[in-house]
Amino acid sequence: MEAVIANIRKMSRYMAYLYFEKRDYARLQAYLSDSISWVGTGKYEICHNKEEAQHFFMEEQRVYQGVFTITNDTYRVIPLNTCTVIAICLCRVQPQDRDALDMCEDMRFSLLWTKEDDEWKISHVHASIPDSSLDETNYFNLNPKELKSAGIQLASRYDTLTGIRNMEGFVKEAERLLKDTTQAYALIRFNICNFRFINHQYGYAFGDDILKSIAHNLSLSCQDTETCARIEKDTFVMLYHLQDKEKMYKRMYEVKSRLLDCSSLRRLKQKVQYTAGIYILEKDNKENIKSMMDKAAFAMKYVENTLDSSKFMYYESWMLQKKNRDDELLEQAKAAMQNQDFKLVIQPQMQLEDDRIVSGEALSRWTLPDGTAVAPDGFISLFEKYGLISKYDFYVLHLLCKTMQRWIRENRKIFPISVNQSRTHLTEPNYIEYFIQVVDSYQIPHELIVFELTESAFTESEKLLQHFMMSLKNAGFQIAIDDFGTGFSGISLLSRVNADILKVDKSLLNGINTSRRQMTIFWKIIEMAHSIGMRVICEGVETKEQLNDIRLLKCDIAQGYLIGKPIPLEEFEEKFMSPTVRI
Ligand code: C2E
Ligand code: CA
Ligand code: CA
């Protein structure tokens, strides 16, 4: 046995030399057993055959291409039986190129040797940071068969693409780490910004490389009693110790700057950005891990979507309360739509040339069973978020068309009426066909319907938008650009979009009587719109001064509380639509 131990010690030293100093994985692989089950730097990097081991080595090479220097190496060789021997090397390794990889670590390099046909082969190779909880008694006391079956069981908790934990693995490991600990922890969940763009621009294989690189670097960022996982496509979670928010800020910044390895970074030419939510765990750690992940996800939703850099947000209890309120509102909305509890109001629009009411805008109102009125701003964005908006906007369209059909039958003086349609419809297949079908089912002449799209809709793909607008125009509807002046598109929008009406937002109007600059801008907008054949509606006119100002600036139509508030249909009919000959 002495000779075996000496031989294994010598071979193990050679393996450490190949692994760290030469990084000659090809030669090292010649020593691997066919039943290799474990390889890597993390705690549980499982592989099931030589091919997977080779893949792992290639990944390692890709992340850092240089070599290490070994110092202070000591070896311990422990025979389990005549055919199985454990060798552990404790050493210090230092990368030769410290600019590329800034670390100098004490390492435990462990090998499990098994005798196969008179040859010693490695069924386990593992480099880890020394951890007293992982000494040979609880780390190596499995025989290779047991190791393999443990490996298969463990594999279901690992993500096949990246090798780090998956959702199930994370939950199990987090539960283990949080059991009986007094440490403070935070659960971080993050999502890569524009990952779809990376896939599209560079191809899915590169997208996968990015995910692997992130996973690898995340696992390196974890200390012994921390963990990380990839739980969905480009969503990762970490369970990190929490000292204070300032240290967490620094750590998040560091994580961000090290997410990619050199080769991915070179190809992508920029760092990846993330949006993260952080949940600080309660002291008793009794909470369900998935509910912690949900809370971190709520926080993520509140991160501002700015273009410049990664952002994160801490979870706060109001976020859950808001979510619950939203869920409740959504449930009520579904019932309200069935019970026809939404009502239409119409706001009159006055032509400035002769002060006649010439058109109106349909807006919706919702009164809850307890009498509370919910303003559209409080539910439209919610409907958009949860995919209810299409149903809702068509519901409103039906209501309006039904009313207009009655007006036509009653021979009333009839105005064109605007409907607000969400920008989300731009990407809905067959939306316009369905829109036309509804209007036609009530036999409403198309020119009596004005289709309002907010300025923000015009940030969508140019081609898509052009096609959308063209189809509406060809069908004879009028198109209005709503809320002009609140988005980013500005004047350039007017040259790109063939709309009939420009609705200038009230925020632009507010400054005109105090600022000459604002007044000039307002005037130029009107002038430009006229020069390309558009009519201009000014929204939010509340005072006589404002009305005079916009009259002077040659605005075409005024809408606002001064002219008239949005009023129920019956009131609107009574006030503005006495049954006379149709015009
Ligand atoms: P909007 O299209 O810009 O509609 C004008 C909003 O300004 C209305 O608010 C109207 O009540 C308000 N308003 C009118 N005149 C004045 C004024 O002089 N002063 C002030 N301070 N406000 C005035 P409302 O009805 O609360 O609607 C808010 C937004 O909700 C609408 O903005 C529109 O974008 C959206 N919306 C309303 N109904 C629908 C709908 O059926 N479908 C969709 N997709 N969106 C809708
Ligand atoms: Ca509008
Ligand atoms: Ca508006």
Side-chain angles (χ1 to χ4, degrees):
M1 205 62 207
E2 282 308 304
V4 170
I5 291 176
N7 185 29
I8 294 282
R9 175 174 285 121
K10 200 170 111 206
M11 288 204 297
S12 301
R13 176 172 284 144
Y14 182 55
M15 293 306 120
Y17 164 78
L18 290 181
Y19 191 79
F20 291 114
E21 295 216 321
K22 279 284 168 208
R23 299 200 81 201
D24 186 344
Y25 294 144
R27 259 197 285 170
L28 198 147
Q29 275 174 68
Y31 289 85
L32 296 189
S33 156
D34 283 334
S35 60
I36 179 84
S37 60
W38 216 334
V39 53
T41 50
K43 278 182 204 157
Y44 303 112
E45 272 152 331
I46 307 299
C47 59
H48 302 101
N49 51 44
K50 276 185 168 174
E51 213 183 342
E52 284 182 17
Q54 185 185 358
H55 185 70
F56 174 83
F57 288 139
M58 272 162 51
E59 279 299 300
E60 281 219 318
Q61 285 282 21
R62 208 170 50 80
V63 174
Y64 173 62
Q65 278 147 17
V67 297
F68 298 87
T69 311
I70 303 180
T71 48
N72 300 345
D73 51 333
T74 55
Y75 291 81
R76 184 162 172 220
V77 178
I78 312 140
L80 293 182
N81 54 45
T82 49
C83 297
T84 320
V85 179
I86 291 166
I88 299 171
C89 159
L90 288 177
C91 58
R92 190 163 180 78
V93 297
Q94 186 173 323
Q96 216 169 51
D97 180 359
R98 297 202 58 180
D99 285 341
L101 192 69
D102 185 15
M103 60 162 263
C104 180
E105 301 280 15
D106 288 327
M107 277 289 191
R108 172 210 286 274
F109 181 66
S110 323
L111 296 158
L112 185 74
W113 292 93
T114 42
K115 201 167 180 187
E116 292 172 6
D117 301 334
D118 257 13
E119 256 190 289
W120 286 98
K121 292 276 177 161
I122 301 165
S123 54
H124 175 137
V125 48
H126 193 219
S128 63
I129 294 165
D131 177 343
S132 59
S133 70
L134 291 176
D135 60 23
E136 70 277 13
T137 51
N138 63 19
Y139 194 41
F140 280 123
N141 63 356
L142 299 168
N143 67 37
K145 258 198 186 137
E146 284 168 329
L147 263 180
K148 200 168 173 190
S149 75
I152 290 165
Q153 196 209 342
L154 284 167
S156 70
R157 296 185 193 158
Y158 287 82
D159 173 30
T160 43
L161 177 74
T162 63
I164 66 169
R165 288 187 166 79
N166 57 19
M167 169 76 93
E168 190 195 335
F170 182 81
V171 171
K172 286 272 177 302
E173 180 63 359
E175 280 168 355
R176 190 184 74 80
L177 292 172
L178 296 176
K179 202 166 168 238
D180 306 323
T181 182
T182 50
Q183 295 249 34
Y185 276 99
L187 188 146
I188 299 119
R189 176 182 183 134
F190 75 85
N191 186 271
I192 305 301
C193 301
N194 288 333
F195 188 68
R196 247 190 13 202
F197 168 79
I198 296 176
N199 271 337
H200 273 289
Q201 191 77 5
Y202 298 88
Y204 284 87
F206 182 63
D208 284 352
D209 285 348
I210 295 277
L211 294 175
K212 284 187 226 166
S213 168
I214 292 172
H216 185 86
N217 292 314
L218 267 189
S219 58
L220 289 180
S221 81
C222 288
Q223 295 167 14
D224 287 338
T225 46
E226 297 179 338
T227 188
C228 63
R230 181 173 84 120
I231 56 166
E232 275 165 27
K233 202 171 163 30
D234 57 340
T235 304
F236 294 82
V237 285
M238 296 94 90
L239 187 69
Y240 277 173
H241 295 303
L242 176 84
Q243 282 162 300
D244 54 51
K245 284 191 174 174
E246 199 178 317
K247 292 217 171 73
M248 183 55 87
Y249 180 86
K250 275 196 191 137
R251 192 159 179 200
M252 290 298 287
Y253 186 79
E254 263 173 44
V255 165
K256 186 180 85 175
S257 59
R258 289 189 194 165
L259 277 182
L260 290 190
D261 58 57
C262 306
S263 65
S264 309
L265 200 57
R266 254 198 307 273
R267 224 182 126 194
L268 196 62
K269 297 189 193 76
Q270 60 182 357
K271 287 182 178 158
V272 283
Q273 309 291 348
Y274 61 61
T275 304
I278 304 182
Y279 173 60
I280 298 177
L281 273 58
E282 313 251 325
K283 282 275 173 295
D284 60 5
N285 293 334
K286 289 275 181 290
E287 213 179 331
N288 176 300
I289 308 289
K290 286 201 173 148
S291 123
M292 298 178 189
M293 287 196 221
D294 287 345
K295 287 180 175 171
F298 293 147
M300 266 169 77
K301 294 203 181 110
Y302 289 92
V303 176
E304 273 172 82
N305 204 3
T306 55
L307 293 173
D308 61 342
S309 72
S310 301
K311 288 260 164 67
F312 61 86
M313 185 86 185
Y314 285 93
Y315 168 82
E316 286 174 36
S317 57
W318 61 261
M319 295 174 181
L320 183 59
Q321 285 159 12
K322 176 157 180 1
K323 164 88 172 63
N324 290 340
R325 243 193 349 263
D326 284 357
D327 286 349
E328 206 180 310
L329 207 61
L330 217 54
E331 278 312 305
Q332 285 178 316
K334 286 179 193 159
M337 251 190 267
Q338 296 231 306
N339 305 337
Q340 314 257 316
D341 284 345
F342 290 95
K343 297 275 177 282
L344 269 192
V345 287
I346 301 195
Q347 186 169 31
Q349 295 171 334
M350 186 178 84
Q351 184 165 276
L352 293 171
E353 196 182 81
D354 51 12
D355 287 1
R356 276 192 315 131
I357 301 300
V358 290
S359 46
E361 175 174 8
L363 296 157
S364 38
R365 294 288 174 264
W366 180 21
T367 311
L368 296 179
D370 66 3
T372 333
V374 193
D377 286 336
F379 62 86
I380 296 290
S381 57
L382 196 68
F383 288 3
E384 286 179 339
K385 201 158 111 196
Y386 292 98
L388 220 67
I389 192 68
S390 189
K391 198 169 172 199
Y392 183 74
D393 277 348
F394 277 116
Y395 167 91
V396 172
L397 185 68
H398 271 284
L399 269 184
L400 176 68
C401 289
K402 201 170 161 191
T403 309
M404 290 179 89
Q405 189 184 44
R406 181 168 57 75
W407 290 342
I408 293 172
R409 270 205 216 113
E410 291 172 359
N411 231 11
R412 287 179 185 270
K413 183 163 90 185
I414 190 156
F415 304 124
I417 305 286
S418 314
V419 273
N420 291 282
Q421 295 287 298
S422 163
R423 56 183 280 187
T424 56
H425 305 316
L426 285 175
T427 49
E428 278 170 38
N430 306 328
Y431 166 78
I432 294 184
E433 286 83 347
Y434 192 42
F435 186 89
I436 296 173
Q437 213 176 311
V438 173
V439 176
D440 286 349
S441 69
Y442 293 93
Q443 290 132 16
I444 311 295
H446 293 187
E447 66 276 14
L448 290 181
I449 302 282
V450 182
F451 193 103
E452 287 198 11
L453 261 178
T454 55
E455 187 191 345
S456 57
F458 297 85
T459 53
E460 297 287 338
S461 133
E462 191 96 346
K463 246 189 176 163
L464 184 77
L465 191 70
Q466 300 279 3
H467 177 74
F468 191 86
M469 306 264 291
M470 201 45 106
S471 314
L472 281 170
K473 282 216 84 141
N474 288 343
F477 295 103
Q478 298 190 59
I479 299 172
I481 300 173
D482 199 3
D483 299 342
F484 184 78
T486 54
F488 296 104
S489 2
I491 301 283
S492 74
L493 176 65
L494 302 186
S495 64
R496 292 183 286 124
V497 167
N498 186 8
D500 306 277
I501 300 167
L502 189 68
K503 295 191 76 178
V504 181
D505 189 69
K506 62 174 176 296
S507 55
L508 279 190
L509 175 70
N510 287 342
I512 65 167
N513 51 359
T514 50
S515 150
R516 268 187 76 85
R517 240 174 115 89
Q518 288 272 40
M519 173 81 109
T520 313
I521 291 172
F522 202 93
W523 173 45
K524 284 289 168 197
I525 289 172
I526 295 175
E527 204 177 40
M528 206 165 319
H530 283 165
S531 67
I532 52 172
M534 289 178 90
R535 274 166 293 138
V536 179
I537 298 183
C538 182
E539 290 192 293
V541 181
E542 290 178 345
T543 63
K544 284 201 170 130
E545 291 72 30
Q546 286 175 332
L547 189 65
N548 284 339
D549 286 341
I550 62 166
R551 224 190 268 281
L552 282 176
L553 297 176
K554 301 261 180 315
C555 179
D556 302 277
I557 291 169
Q559 178 180 348
Y561 292 166
L562 181 74
I563 319 300
K565 289 200 167 177
I567 46 176
L569 292 172
E570 304 71 33
E571 222 177 292
F572 189 83
E573 284 170 23
E574 216 168 280
K575 252 183 151 162
F576 305 109
M577 305 179 73
S578 52
T580 58
V581 182
R582 257 169 66 189
I583 53 164

